[in-house]
């Protein structure tokens, strides 16, 4: 009879469900995960793995880009170790500090602790540009300086006012050794007024001065 067939079918279905509770639970879990997928990841990957992978790829790309930009930047300028007389002279004026490679290296080390090393790097790049005479080299170096230190998209952008930026934009139409002169002066003044007084009171300067003072005088 039809009634007994339906009863037997229901028994088989109930038996199959009881034999495979894990499958039913997995199905339920999958359904819940699909309905609760985060709004940033519609592929319903477990733990939004696609978003994690994408973020990791973007971070690696940014890191690689920064590493490539830093390849051409030396950790410090080549210079002999400073003498006690030179280090004492740094306290007399900012100009005397910036006049020697040893002074620039010590000041740059301090700027790095304040996350403003780009100011010194920009100033040094402008000094290097002034030494060029080849037109194509000047244009290429000016472009790199603009991308590295002037562009608002650069992580090493220096702080310049709107007037100086307008001057740079006009100068970039035909770059020369003096394209960034106004900007270089503004950053030099900023380092002088803002960072230099703190450098003179920093552990970097005081430790260097102490080590040279305690160094025995050679006969």
């Amino acid at each position: 009879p039809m009634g007994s067939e339906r009863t037997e079918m229901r028994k088989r279905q109930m038996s199959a469900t009881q034999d495979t509770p894990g499958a039913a639970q997995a199905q339920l879990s999958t359904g819940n995960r699909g309905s609760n997928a985060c709004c940033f990841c519609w592929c319903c990957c477990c733990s939004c793995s696609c978003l994690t992978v994408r973020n990791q790829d973007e971070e690696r790309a940014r890191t690689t880009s920064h590493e490539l930009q830093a390849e051409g930047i030396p950790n410090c300028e080549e210079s002999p170790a400073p003498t006690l007389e030179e280090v004492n002279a740094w306290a007399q004026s900012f100009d005397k500090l910036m006049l020697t490679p040893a002074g620039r290296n010590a000041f740059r080390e301090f700027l790095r602790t304040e996350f403003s090393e780009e100011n010194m790097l920009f100033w040094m790049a402008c000094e290097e540009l002034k030494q060029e005479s080849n037109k194509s080299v000047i244009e290429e170096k000016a472009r790199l300086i603009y991308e590295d230190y002037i562009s608002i998209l650069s992580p090493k952008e220096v702080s310049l006012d709107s007037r100086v930026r307008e001057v740079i934009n006009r100068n970039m139409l035909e770059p020369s050794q003096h394209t960034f002169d106004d900007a270089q002066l503004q950053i030099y003044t900023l380092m002088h007024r803002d960072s230099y007084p703190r450098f003179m009171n920093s552990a970097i300067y005081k430790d260097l001065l102490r080590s040279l003072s305690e160094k025995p005088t050679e006969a």
Side-chain angles (χ1 to χ4, degrees), residues 98-118:
M98 293 289 284
L99 194 60
T100 64
R104 292 192 293 270
N105 284 336
F107 187 51
R108 179 177 168 184
E109 182 182 351
F110 169 74
L111 292 177
R112 191 178 295 124
T113 67
E114 292 200 333
F115 305 100
S116 57
E117 184 185 15
E118 66 275 1

Side-chain angles (χ1 to χ4, degrees), residues 65-115:
S65 176
H66 292 168
E67 288 174 350
L68 288 174
Q69 289 178 352
E71 282 181 356
I73 302 173
N75 289 329
C76 62
E77 296 180 78
E78 292 185 6
S79 70
T83 64
L84 179 59
E85 182 181 4
E86 286 177 328
V87 175
N88 278 322
W90 299 348
Q92 296 174 14
S93 73
F94 184 60
D95 291 339
K96 289 185 177 181
L97 168 70
M98 293 289 284
L99 194 60
T100 64
R104 292 192 293 270
N105 284 336
F107 187 51
R108 179 177 168 184
E109 182 182 351
F110 169 74
L111 292 177
R112 191 178 295 124
T113 67
E114 292 200 333
F115 305 100

Side-chain angles (χ1 to χ4, degrees), residues 8 47 76-77 89 96 112 181 187 213:
E8 186 65 22
S47 300
C76 62
E77 296 180 78
K96 289 185 177 181
R112 191 178 295 124
D181 281 4
I187 293 302
S213 300

Side-chain angles (χ1 to χ4, degrees), residues 118-119 148-159 165:
E118 66 275 1
N119 290 331
D148 283 347
Y149 305 108
I150 309 301
S151 171
I152 60 174
L153 301 178
S154 173
K156 297 183 293 184
E157 178 195 5
V158 295
S159 179
R165 287 184 174 276

